[in-house]
Amino acid sequence: MLASARAEFAGSGYDRASIRAIARGADVNPALVHHYFGTKEQVFAAAVASAAAPATQGLDAEARFAAQEFGESFTRLFFGIWENPEGRAPLVAILRSAMNNDTAAAILRRFVAGELLSRVAGGLDAPDAELRAELAAAQLVGVALLRYVLRVEPLAAIPAEELVRRLAPVVQHHLTGTD
Amino acid sequence: MLASARAEFAGSGYDRASIRAIARGADVNPALVHHYFGTKEQVFAAAVASAAAPATQGLDAEARFAAQEFGESFTRLFFGIWENPEGRAPLVAILRSAMNNDTAAAILRRFVAGELLSRVAGGLDAPDAELRAELAAAQLVGVALLRYVLRVEPLAAIPAEELVRRLAPVVQHHLTGTD
């Protein structure tokens, strides 16, 4: 059902996606989708969480890194997920839904702040840890937008390893540098 | 007609926008829109250029700054445009269209690379000037996405001047720092 939900949100966008179509894609009764997830908002939240599972699991594994090494490991984790077309497609679909619909934006906002960036901020010892995590994430998300969605050259063509090399120090600066 | 085109692309998205509706909004004949702009693609390109005019004009004015001061002036120009709700709305609409439609993405890509970032890269004396300009722009665009579209806190609430203070050194690093 989650795979069907991700496909439906990706194909139809949040506005036009329906529980009925998600049920049809999973070959189950719509009542079963309602039973497991609840409303369309809740299905979307579950789809976001499942698409982002590699990131949340990765960040939990990173918790063993010292904050001084987190810039590179966070940057590497980010591109490890986005470089994989199967991992990227649902993320682009979610971002697209959030840009087109305020409810979807609110769900993504809660997830990004509550599940992803809180994991990053939790490893920092700074009063402005949340803002630092957001500025670091903004650098990476902006690169993802220009590289994978708009495909601006030369950014779209250079090897991911070169991006990690250039961006890790910037991410590290946001996380632990002098503000 | 350009104001009507921006409103139509913002309200309907690129896919559903029509020359007919743009003409109706401007109270002119559709043939006149065709005569001035041509196809829907060409109307969109003109709408992008007009929405980005403050940026292109600002970058031309920045040309007098030395590359060493460009980080702060570029960052300040960016937030000067995005902090103004009237300037922001057409930019969000264009970004949204580009995320939903490949033709709109191609038009925006050509404009960003050919009109905006070429102005930034042109002021740099480096073989990788284009990539540097793109990484700097990615930092700013990512912040815009998290601040104005997703409205993640605390990033959405802190004063723009504080953002300029934190981001200008990073933008400067991308433009002229050791890669």
Side-chain angles (χ1 to χ4, degrees):
Chain A
M1 279 192 281
L2 274 174
S4 173
R6 286 199 303 263
E8 167 70 0
F9 287 120
S12 303
Y14 184 86
D15 283 329
R16 282 173 292 160
S18 75
I19 299 261
R20 186 175 298 269
I22 291 167
R24 200 184 311 124
D27 207 12
V28 299
N29 192 294
L32 193 69
V33 179
H34 276 297
H35 174 76
Y36 270 101
F37 296 107
T39 62
K40 181 162 95 170
E41 285 85 343
Q42 290 168 313
V43 182
F44 185 72
V48 170
S50 78
T56 48
Q57 288 160 11
L59 287 170
D60 285 341
E62 305 288 322
R64 62 196 159 82
F65 287 96
Q68 295 308 326
E69 302 164 355
F70 200 56
E72 181 169 342
S73 60
F74 184 31
T75 304
R76 209 173 278 288
L77 172 67
F78 183 87
F79 286 105
I81 294 167
W82 278 86
E83 284 292 303
N84 171 3
E86 277 181 40
R88 184 196 315 159
L91 298 176
V92 172
I94 286 164
L95 205 50
R96 190 178 284 145
S97 286
M99 288 203 68
N100 284 299
N101 182 285
D102 287 343
T103 305
I107 294 166
L108 182 59
R109 174 169 61 239
R110 276 198 298 275
F111 186 83
V112 167
E115 299 292 327
L116 289 178
L117 295 184
S118 63
R119 281 173 158 83
V120 177
L124 305 178
D125 181 24
D128 56 353
E130 288 182 328
L131 179 61
R132 286 172 173 273
E134 287 167 10
L135 293 173
Q139 170 72 78
L140 297 175
V141 168
V143 168
L145 189 69
L146 294 183
R147 177 177 172 88
Y148 304 111
V149 181
L150 291 186
R151 299 200 199 94
V152 175
E153 298 290 356
L155 186 52
I158 68 168
E161 198 51 42
E162 167 76 6
L163 283 178
V164 171
R165 193 180 67 71
R166 288 187 184 241
L167 292 171
V170 171
V171 171
Q172 187 69 53
H173 168 79
H174 281 310
L175 297 178
T176 59
T178 315
D179 86 14
Chain B
M1 280 192 278
L2 275 174
S4 172
R6 285 199 303 262
E8 168 71 359
F9 287 120
S12 303
Y14 184 86
D15 283 330
R16 281 174 293 162
S18 75
I19 298 262
R20 185 175 299 268
I22 291 167
R24 199 183 312 122
D27 207 13
V28 299
N29 192 293
L32 193 68
V33 178
H34 275 298
H35 174 75
Y36 269 102
F37 297 108
T39 62
K40 181 163 95 170
E41 286 86 342
Q42 290 168 314
V43 182
F44 185 72
V48 169
S50 78
T56 48
Q57 288 160 10
L59 287 171
D60 285 339
E62 305 287 324
R64 62 197 159 79
F65 288 95
Q68 295 308 325
E69 301 164 358
F70 200 56
E72 180 168 344
S73 60
F74 184 31
T75 305
R76 209 173 277 289
L77 171 66
F78 183 87
F79 286 105
I81 294 167
W82 278 86
E83 284 292 303
N84 172 5
E86 277 182 41
R88 184 195 315 159
L91 298 176
V92 172
I94 285 163
L95 206 50
R96 190 178 282 146
S97 285
M99 288 204 68
N100 284 300
N101 181 284
D102 287 343
T103 304
I107 293 166
L108 181 59
R109 175 169 61 240
R110 275 199 297 274
F111 186 83
V112 167
E115 298 292 328
L116 290 178
L117 295 183
S118 62
R119 281 176 159 83
V120 177
L124 306 177
D125 182 24
D128 56 353
E130 289 182 330
L131 179 60
R132 286 171 173 274
E134 287 166 10
L135 293 174
Q139 171 72 77
L140 297 174
V141 168
V143 168
L145 189 69
L146 294 183
R147 177 176 172 89
Y148 304 110
V149 181
L150 292 185
R151 297 200 201 94
V152 175
E153 298 288 356
L155 186 53
I158 69 167
E161 197 52 41
E162 168 76 5
L163 284 178
V164 171
R165 194 180 66 72
R166 288 187 183 242
L167 293 171
V170 171
V171 170
Q172 188 69 54
H173 167 78
H174 281 311
L175 297 179
T176 58
T178 315
D179 86 16

CSV table of all heavy atoms in Angstrom, one decimal, chain B residues 45-102:
chain,number,residue,atom,x,y,z
B,45,ALA,N,8.7,32.2,-21.0
B,45,ALA,CA,10.0,32.8,-20.9
B,45,ALA,C,10.0,34.3,-20.7
B,45,ALA,O,10.8,34.8,-19.9
B,45,ALA,CB,10.8,32.5,-22.3
B,46,ALA,N,9.1,35.0,-21.3
B,46,ALA,CA,8.9,36.4,-21.0
B,46,ALA,C,8.5,36.7,-19.6
B,46,ALA,O,9.0,37.7,-19.0
B,46,ALA,CB,8.0,37.0,-22.0
B,47,ALA,N,7.6,35.9,-19.1
B,47,ALA,CA,7.2,36.0,-17.7
B,47,ALA,C,8.3,35.8,-16.7
B,47,ALA,O,8.5,36.5,-15.7
B,47,ALA,CB,6.0,35.1,-17.4
B,48,VAL,N,9.1,34.8,-17.0
B,48,VAL,CA,10.3,34.5,-16.2
B,48,VAL,C,11.2,35.7,-16.2
B,48,VAL,O,11.7,36.2,-15.1
B,48,VAL,CB,11.1,33.2,-16.7
B,48,VAL,CG1,12.4,33.1,-16.0
B,48,VAL,CG2,10.2,32.0,-16.4
B,49,ALA,N,11.5,36.2,-17.4
B,49,ALA,CA,12.4,37.3,-17.5
B,49,ALA,C,11.9,38.6,-16.8
B,49,ALA,O,12.7,39.3,-16.1
B,49,ALA,CB,12.7,37.7,-19.0
B,50,SER,N,10.6,38.8,-16.9
B,50,SER,CA,10.1,40.0,-16.2
B,50,SER,C,10.1,39.8,-14.7
B,50,SER,O,10.4,40.8,-13.9
B,50,SER,CB,8.7,40.3,-16.7
B,50,SER,OG,7.7,39.5,-16.2
B,51,ALA,N,9.8,38.6,-14.2
B,51,ALA,CA,9.8,38.4,-12.7
B,51,ALA,C,11.2,38.5,-12.2
B,51,ALA,O,11.4,38.9,-11.1
B,51,ALA,CB,9.2,37.0,-12.4
B,52,ALA,N,12.2,38.1,-13.0
B,52,ALA,CA,13.6,38.1,-12.6
B,52,ALA,C,14.3,39.4,-12.9
B,52,ALA,O,15.5,39.6,-12.6
B,52,ALA,CB,14.3,37.0,-13.2
B,53,ALA,N,13.6,40.4,-13.5
B,53,ALA,CA,14.2,41.7,-13.9
B,53,ALA,C,14.9,42.4,-12.7
B,53,ALA,O,16.1,42.8,-12.9
B,53,ALA,CB,13.2,42.6,-14.5
B,54,PRO,N,14.4,42.4,-11.5
B,54,PRO,CA,15.1,43.0,-10.4
B,54,PRO,C,16.4,42.3,-10.1
B,54,PRO,O,17.4,43.0,-9.8
B,54,PRO,CB,14.2,42.8,-9.2
B,54,PRO,CG,12.8,42.6,-9.7
B,54,PRO,CD,13.0,41.9,-11.1
B,55,ALA,N,16.5,41.0,-10.4
B,55,ALA,CA,17.7,40.2,-10.2
B,55,ALA,C,18.8,40.6,-11.2
B,55,ALA,O,19.9,40.8,-11.0
B,55,ALA,CB,17.5,38.7,-10.1
B,56,THR,N,18.3,40.5,-12.5
B,56,THR,CA,19.3,40.8,-13.6
B,56,THR,C,19.8,42.2,-13.5
B,56,THR,O,21.0,42.5,-13.6
B,56,THR,CB,18.7,40.5,-15.0
B,56,THR,OG1,17.4,41.1,-15.0
B,56,THR,CG2,18.5,39.0,-15.2
B,57,GLN,N,18.9,43.2,-13.2
B,57,GLN,CA,19.3,44.6,-13.1
B,57,GLN,C,20.2,44.7,-11.9
B,57,GLN,O,21.2,45.4,-12.0
B,57,GLN,CB,18.1,45.5,-13.0
B,57,GLN,CG,17.3,45.6,-14.3
B,57,GLN,CD,15.8,46.1,-14.0
B,57,GLN,OE1,15.5,46.5,-12.9
B,57,GLN,NE2,15.0,46.0,-15.1
B,58,GLY,N,19.9,44.1,-10.8
B,58,GLY,CA,20.7,44.2,-9.6
B,58,GLY,C,22.1,43.6,-9.9
B,58,GLY,O,23.1,44.2,-9.5
B,59,LEU,N,22.2,42.5,-10.6
B,59,LEU,CA,23.5,41.9,-10.9
B,59,LEU,C,24.3,42.8,-11.8
B,59,LEU,O,25.5,42.8,-11.6
B,59,LEU,CB,23.3,40.5,-11.5
B,59,LEU,CG,22.9,39.4,-10.5
B,59,LEU,CD1,22.5,38.1,-11.2
B,59,LEU,CD2,23.9,39.1,-9.4
B,60,ASP,N,23.6,43.4,-12.7
B,60,ASP,CA,24.4,44.3,-13.6
B,60,ASP,C,25.0,45.5,-12.8
B,60,ASP,O,26.1,45.9,-13.0
B,60,ASP,CB,23.5,44.9,-14.7
B,60,ASP,CG,23.2,43.8,-15.8
B,60,ASP,OD1,24.0,42.9,-15.9
B,60,ASP,OD2,22.2,44.0,-16.5
B,61,ALA,N,24.2,45.9,-11.8
B,61,ALA,CA,24.7,47.0,-10.9
B,61,ALA,C,25.8,46.5,-10.0
B,61,ALA,O,26.7,47.3,-9.7
B,61,ALA,CB,23.5,47.6,-10.1
B,62,GLU,N,25.8,45.2,-9.7
B,62,GLU,CA,26.8,44.7,-8.8
B,62,GLU,C,28.2,44.6,-9.5
B,62,GLU,O,29.2,44.4,-8.9
B,62,GLU,CB,26.5,43.2,-8.4
B,62,GLU,CG,25.2,43.1,-7.7
B,62,GLU,CD,25.1,43.6,-6.3
B,62,GLU,OE1,26.2,43.5,-5.6
B,62,GLU,OE2,24.1,44.2,-5.9
B,63,ALA,N,28.1,44.6,-10.9
B,63,ALA,CA,29.3,44.4,-11.6
B,63,ALA,C,30.5,45.3,-11.2
B,63,ALA,O,31.6,45.0,-11.3
B,63,ALA,CB,29.1,44.6,-13.1
B,64,ARG,N,30.1,46.4,-10.6
B,64,ARG,CA,31.1,47.4,-10.1
B,64,ARG,C,31.9,46.9,-8.8
B,64,ARG,O,32.9,47.4,-8.5
B,64,ARG,CB,30.6,48.8,-9.9
B,64,ARG,CG,29.5,48.8,-8.9
B,64,ARG,CD,28.6,50.1,-9.0
B,64,ARG,NE,27.4,50.0,-8.3
B,64,ARG,CZ,27.2,50.0,-7.0
B,64,ARG,NH1,28.2,50.3,-6.2
B,64,ARG,NH2,26.0,49.9,-6.4
B,65,PHE,N,31.2,45.9,-8.1
B,65,PHE,CA,31.9,45.4,-6.9
B,65,PHE,C,33.1,44.4,-7.3
B,65,PHE,O,33.0,43.7,-8.3
B,65,PHE,CB,30.9,44.6,-6.1
B,65,PHE,CG,29.9,45.4,-5.4
B,65,PHE,CD1,28.7,45.6,-5.9
B,65,PHE,CD2,30.2,46.0,-4.2
B,65,PHE,CE1,27.7,46.4,-5.3
B,65,PHE,CE2,29.3,46.8,-3.5
B,65,PHE,CZ,28.0,47.0,-4.0
B,66,ALA,N,34.1,44.5,-6.5
B,66,ALA,CA,35.2,43.5,-6.7
B,66,ALA,C,34.7,42.1,-6.3
B,66,ALA,O,33.8,42.0,-5.5
B,66,ALA,CB,36.4,43.9,-5.9
B,67,ALA,N,35.2,41.1,-6.9
B,67,ALA,CA,34.8,39.7,-6.6
B,67,ALA,C,34.9,39.4,-5.1
B,67,ALA,O,34.1,38.6,-4.6
B,67,ALA,CB,35.6,38.7,-7.4
B,68,GLN,N,35.8,40.1,-4.4
B,68,GLN,CA,36.0,39.8,-3.0
B,68,GLN,C,34.8,40.3,-2.1
B,68,GLN,O,34.7,39.9,-1.0
B,68,GLN,CB,37.3,40.4,-2.4
B,68,GLN,CG,38.5,39.9,-3.1
B,68,GLN,CD,38.6,38.3,-3.0
B,68,GLN,OE1,38.1,37.8,-2.0
B,68,GLN,NE2,39.1,37.7,-4.0
B,69,GLU,N,34.0,41.2,-2.7
B,69,GLU,CA,32.9,41.7,-1.9
B,69,GLU,C,31.5,41.2,-2.5
B,69,GLU,O,30.5,41.6,-2.0
B,69,GLU,CB,32.8,43.3,-2.0
B,69,GLU,CG,34.1,43.9,-1.5
B,69,GLU,CD,34.2,45.4,-2.0
B,69,GLU,OE1,33.3,45.8,-2.7
B,69,GLU,OE2,35.1,46.0,-1.5
B,70,PHE,N,31.6,40.3,-3.4
B,70,PHE,CA,30.4,39.9,-4.1
B,70,PHE,C,29.6,39.0,-3.3
B,70,PHE,O,28.3,39.0,-3.5
B,70,PHE,CB,30.9,39.2,-5.4
B,70,PHE,CG,29.8,39.2,-6.5
B,70,PHE,CD1,29.2,40.3,-6.9
B,70,PHE,CD2,29.4,38.0,-7.0
B,70,PHE,CE1,28.2,40.3,-7.8
B,70,PHE,CE2,28.3,38.0,-7.9
B,70,PHE,CZ,27.8,39.1,-8.3
B,71,GLY,N,30.2,38.2,-2.4
B,71,GLY,CA,29.4,37.3,-1.5
B,71,GLY,C,28.3,38.0,-0.8
B,71,GLY,O,27.1,37.6,-0.8
B,72,GLU,N,28.6,39.1,-0.1
B,72,GLU,CA,27.6,39.9,0.6
B,72,GLU,C,26.6,40.6,-0.3
B,72,GLU,O,25.4,40.6,0.0
B,72,GLU,CB,28.3,40.9,1.6
B,72,GLU,CG,27.2,41.6,2.3
B,72,GLU,CD,27.8,42.4,3.5
B,72,GLU,OE1,28.9,42.2,3.9
B,72,GLU,OE2,27.0,43.3,4.0
B,73,SER,N,27.1,41.2,-1.4
B,73,SER,CA,26.2,42.0,-2.2
B,73,SER,C,25.2,41.0,-2.9
B,73,SER,O,24.0,41.3,-3.1
B,73,SER,CB,27.0,42.9,-3.2
B,73,SER,OG,27.8,42.1,-4.0
B,74,PHE,N,25.7,39.9,-3.3
B,74,PHE,CA,24.8,38.9,-4.0
B,74,PHE,C,23.8,38.4,-3.0
B,74,PHE,O,22.6,38.3,-3.3
B,74,PHE,CB,25.7,37.7,-4.5
B,74,PHE,CG,25.0,36.6,-5.3
B,74,PHE,CD1,23.9,36.9,-6.1
B,74,PHE,CD2,25.5,35.3,-5.3
B,74,PHE,CE1,23.3,35.9,-6.8
B,74,PHE,CE2,24.9,34.3,-6.0
B,74,PHE,CZ,23.8,34.6,-6.8
B,75,THR,N,24.2,38.0,-1.8
B,75,THR,CA,23.3,37.5,-0.8
B,75,THR,C,22.2,38.6,-0.4
B,75,THR,O,21.0,38.3,-0.3
B,75,THR,CB,24.1,37.2,0.5
B,75,THR,OG1,25.1,36.2,0.1
B,75,THR,CG2,23.2,36.5,1.5
B,76,ARG,N,22.7,39.8,-0.3
B,76,ARG,CA,21.8,40.9,0.0
B,76,ARG,C,20.8,41.2,-1.1
B,76,ARG,O,19.6,41.4,-0.9
B,76,ARG,CB,22.6,42.2,0.3
B,76,ARG,CG,22.0,43.2,1.2
B,76,ARG,CD,23.0,44.3,1.5
B,76,ARG,NE,24.0,43.9,2.6
B,76,ARG,CZ,23.6,43.8,3.9
B,76,ARG,NH1,22.4,44.0,4.3
B,76,ARG,NH2,24.5,43.5,4.8
B,77,LEU,N,21.2,41.1,-2.3
B,77,LEU,CA,20.4,41.3,-3.5
B,77,LEU,C,19.3,40.2,-3.5
B,77,LEU,O,18.1,40.5,-3.7
B,77,LEU,CB,21.2,41.2,-4.8
B,77,LEU,CG,20.4,41.2,-6.1
B,77,LEU,CD1,19.7,42.5,-6.3
B,77,LEU,CD2,21.4,40.9,-7.3
B,78,PHE,N,19.7,39.0,-3.2
B,78,PHE,CA,18.8,37.8,-3.3
B,78,PHE,C,17.7,38.0,-2.2
B,78,PHE,O,16.5,37.9,-2.6
B,78,PHE,CB,19.6,36.5,-2.9
B,78,PHE,CG,18.8,35.3,-3.0
B,78,PHE,CD1,18.6,34.6,-4.2
B,78,PHE,CD2,18.2,34.8,-1.8
B,78,PHE,CE1,17.8,33.4,-4.2
B,78,PHE,CE2,17.4,33.6,-1.9
B,78,PHE,CZ,17.2,32.9,-3.1
B,79,PHE,N,18.0,38.3,-1.0
B,79,PHE,CA,17.0,38.5,0.0
B,79,PHE,C,16.2,39.8,-0.2
B,79,PHE,O,15.0,39.8,0.2
B,79,PHE,CB,17.6,38.4,1.4
B,79,PHE,CG,17.9,37.0,1.8
B,79,PHE,CD1,19.3,36.6,1.8
B,79,PHE,CD2,16.9,36.1,2.1
B,79,PHE,CE1,19.6,35.2,2.1
B,79,PHE,CE2,17.2,34.7,2.3
B,79,PHE,CZ,18.6,34.3,2.4
B,80,GLY,N,16.8,40.8,-0.8
B,80,GLY,CA,16.1,42.0,-1.1
B,80,GLY,C,14.9,41.7,-2.0
B,80,GLY,O,13.8,42.3,-1.8
B,81,ILE,N,15.1,40.8,-2.9
B,81,ILE,CA,14.0,40.4,-3.8
B,81,ILE,C,13.0,39.5,-3.1
B,81,ILE,O,11.8,39.7,-3.2
B,81,ILE,CB,14.6,39.8,-5.1
B,81,ILE,CG1,15.4,40.8,-5.9
B,81,ILE,CG2,13.5,39.2,-5.9
B,81,ILE,CD1,16.3,40.2,-6.9
B,82,TRP,N,13.5,38.4,-2.4
B,82,TRP,CA,12.6,37.4,-1.9
B,82,TRP,C,11.8,37.9,-0.6
B,82,TRP,O,10.8,37.4,-0.3
B,82,TRP,CB,13.4,36.2,-1.5
B,82,TRP,CG,13.7,35.3,-2.6
B,82,TRP,CD1,14.7,35.3,-3.5
B,82,TRP,CD2,12.9,34.2,-3.0
B,82,TRP,NE1,14.5,34.3,-4.5
B,82,TRP,CE2,13.4,33.6,-4.2
B,82,TRP,CE3,11.7,33.6,-2.5
B,82,TRP,CZ2,12.9,32.5,-4.9
B,82,TRP,CZ3,11.2,32.4,-3.2
B,82,TRP,CH2,11.8,31.9,-4.3
B,83,GLU,N,12.4,38.9,0.1
B,83,GLU,CA,11.7,39.4,1.3
B,83,GLU,C,10.4,40.2,0.9
B,83,GLU,O,9.5,40.4,1.7
B,83,GLU,CB,12.6,40.3,2.1
B,83,GLU,CG,13.6,39.4,2.9
B,83,GLU,CD,12.9,38.6,4.0
B,83,GLU,OE1,12.2,39.2,4.9
B,83,GLU,OE2,13.1,37.4,4.0
B,84,ASN,N,10.4,40.7,-0.3
B,84,ASN,CA,9.3,41.5,-0.8
B,84,ASN,C,8.2,40.5,-1.4
B,84,ASN,O,8.4,39.9,-2.4
B,84,ASN,CB,9.8,42.5,-1.9
B,84,ASN,CG,8.6,43.2,-2.6
B,84,ASN,OD1,7.5,43.0,-2.3
B,84,ASN,ND2,9.0,43.9,-3.6
B,85,PRO,N,7.0,40.5,-0.7
B,85,PRO,CA,6.0,39.5,-1.1
B,85,PRO,C,5.6,39.6,-2.6
B,85,PRO,O,5.4,38.6,-3.3
B,85,PRO,CB,4.8,39.8,-0.2
B,85,PRO,CG,5.4,40.4,1.0
B,85,PRO,CD,6.6,41.2,0.5
B,86,GLU,N,5.6,40.8,-3.1
B,86,GLU,CA,5.3,41.0,-4.5
B,86,GLU,C,6.3,40.5,-5.5
B,86,GLU,O,6.1,40.1,-6.6
B,86,GLU,CB,5.1,42.5,-4.8
B,86,GLU,CG,3.7,43.0,-4.4
B,86,GLU,CD,3.5,44.5,-4.8
B,86,GLU,OE1,4.0,44.9,-5.9
B,86,GLU,OE2,2.9,45.2,-4.0
B,87,GLY,N,7.6,40.6,-5.0
B,87,GLY,CA,8.7,40.0,-5.8
B,87,GLY,C,8.7,38.5,-5.7
B,87,GLY,O,9.1,37.8,-6.6
B,88,ARG,N,8.3,38.0,-4.5
B,88,ARG,CA,8.4,36.6,-4.2
B,88,ARG,C,7.4,35.7,-5.0
B,88,ARG,O,7.7,34.6,-5.5
B,88,ARG,CB,8.3,36.4,-2.7
B,88,ARG,CG,8.5,35.0,-2.2
B,88,ARG,CD,7.9,34.8,-0.8
B,88,ARG,NE,8.4,36.0,0.0
B,88,ARG,CZ,7.8,36.3,1.1
B,88,ARG,NH1,6.7,35.7,1.6
B,88,ARG,NH2,8.2,37.4,1.8
B,89,ALA,N,6.2,36.2,-5.0
B,89,ALA,CA,5.1,35.4,-5.5
B,89,ALA,C,5.3,34.9,-7.0
B,89,ALA,O,5.2,33.7,-7.2
B,89,ALA,CB,3.7,36.2,-5.5
B,90,PRO,N,5.8,35.7,-7.9
B,90,PRO,CA,6.0,35.2,-9.2
B,90,PRO,C,7.2,34.2,-9.3
B,90,PRO,O,7.2,33.2,-10.0
B,90,PRO,CB,6.3,36.4,-10.1
B,90,PRO,CG,6.6,37.5,-9.1
B,90,PRO,CD,5.9,37.2,-7.9
B,91,LEU,N,8.2,34.4,-8.4
B,91,LEU,CA,9.3,33.4,-8.3
B,91,LEU,C,8.9,32.1,-7.8
B,91,LEU,O,9.2,31.0,-8.4
B,91,LEU,CB,10.4,34.0,-7.4
B,91,LEU,CG,11.0,35.3,-7.9
B,91,LEU,CD1,12.0,35.8,-6.9
B,91,LEU,CD2,11.7,35.2,-9.2
B,92,VAL,N,8.0,32.1,-6.8
B,92,VAL,CA,7.5,30.8,-6.3
B,92,VAL,C,6.7,30.1,-7.4
B,92,VAL,O,6.8,28.9,-7.6
B,92,VAL,CB,6.6,31.0,-5.0
B,92,VAL,CG1,5.9,29.7,-4.6
B,92,VAL,CG2,7.5,31.5,-3.9
B,93,ALA,N,5.9,30.9,-8.1
B,93,ALA,CA,5.0,30.3,-9.1
B,93,ALA,C,5.8,29.7,-10.3
B,93,ALA,O,5.5,28.7,-10.8
B,93,ALA,CB,4.1,31.4,-9.7
B,94,ILE,N,6.9,30.4,-10.6
B,94,ILE,CA,7.8,29.9,-11.7
B,94,ILE,C,8.5,28.6,-11.2
B,94,ILE,O,8.6,27.6,-12.0
B,94,ILE,CB,8.9,31.0,-12.0
B,94,ILE,CG1,8.2,32.1,-12.9
B,94,ILE,CG2,10.0,30.4,-12.8
B,94,ILE,CD1,9.0,33.4,-12.9
B,95,LEU,N,9.0,28.6,-10.0
B,95,LEU,CA,9.6,27.4,-9.5
B,95,LEU,C,8.7,26.2,-9.4
B,95,LEU,O,9.0,25.1,-9.8
B,95,LEU,CB,10.1,27.7,-8.0
B,95,LEU,CG,11.3,26.9,-7.5
B,95,LEU,CD1,12.5,26.9,-8.4
B,95,LEU,CD2,11.7,27.5,-6.1
B,96,ARG,N,7.4,26.5,-9.1
B,96,ARG,CA,6.4,25.5,-9.0
B,96,ARG,C,6.1,24.9,-10.4
B,96,ARG,O,6.0,23.7,-10.6
B,96,ARG,CB,5.1,26.1,-8.4
B,96,ARG,CG,4.0,25.2,-8.1
B,96,ARG,CD,2.9,26.0,-7.5
B,96,ARG,NE,3.1,26.4,-6.1
B,96,ARG,CZ,2.7,27.5,-5.5
B,96,ARG,NH1,2.1,28.4,-6.2
B,96,ARG,NH2,3.0,27.7,-4.3
B,97,SER,N,6.0,25.8,-11.4
B,97,SER,CA,5.8,25.4,-12.8
B,97,SER,C,6.9,24.5,-13.2
B,97,SER,O,6.7,23.5,-13.9
B,97,SER,CB,5.6,26.6,-13.7
B,97,SER,OG,4.4,27.2,-13.5
B,98,ALA,N,8.1,24.9,-12.9
B,98,ALA,CA,9.3,24.2,-13.4
B,98,ALA,C,9.4,22.8,-12.7
B,98,ALA,O,9.9,21.9,-13.3
B,98,ALA,CB,10.6,25.0,-13.1
B,99,MET,N,8.9,22.7,-11.5
B,99,MET,CA,8.9,21.4,-10.8
B,99,MET,C,7.8,20.5,-11.4
B,99,MET,O,7.9,19.2,-11.2
B,99,MET,CB,8.7,21.5,-9.3
B,99,MET,CG,9.9,22.1,-8.7
B,99,MET,SD,10.0,21.7,-6.9
B,99,MET,CE,10.3,20.0,-7.0
B,100,ASN,N,6.8,21.0,-12.0
B,100,ASN,CA,5.7,20.2,-12.5
B,100,ASN,C,5.7,19.9,-14.0
B,100,ASN,O,4.9,19.1,-14.5
B,100,ASN,CB,4.4,20.9,-12.2
B,100,ASN,CG,4.0,20.8,-10.7
B,100,ASN,OD1,3.8,19.7,-10.2
B,100,ASN,ND2,3.9,22.0,-10.0
B,101,ASN,N,6.6,20.6,-14.7
B,101,ASN,CA,6.5,20.5,-16.2
B,101,ASN,C,7.9,20.6,-16.8
B,101,ASN,O,8.6,21.6,-16.5
B,101,ASN,CB,5.6,21.6,-16.7
B,101,ASN,CG,5.5,21.6,-18.2
B,101,ASN,OD1,6.4,21.9,-18.9
B,101,ASN,ND2,4.4,21.1,-18.7
B,102,ASP,N,8.3,19.6,-17.6
B,102,ASP,CA,9.6,19.6,-18.1
B,102,ASP,C,9.9,20.8,-19.1
B,102,ASP,O,11.1,21.3,-19.1
B,102,ASP,CB,9.9,18.3,-18.9
B,102,ASP,CG,10.0,17.1,-17.9
B,102,ASP,OD1,10.3,17.4,-16.7
B,102,ASP,OD2,9.9,16.0,-18.4
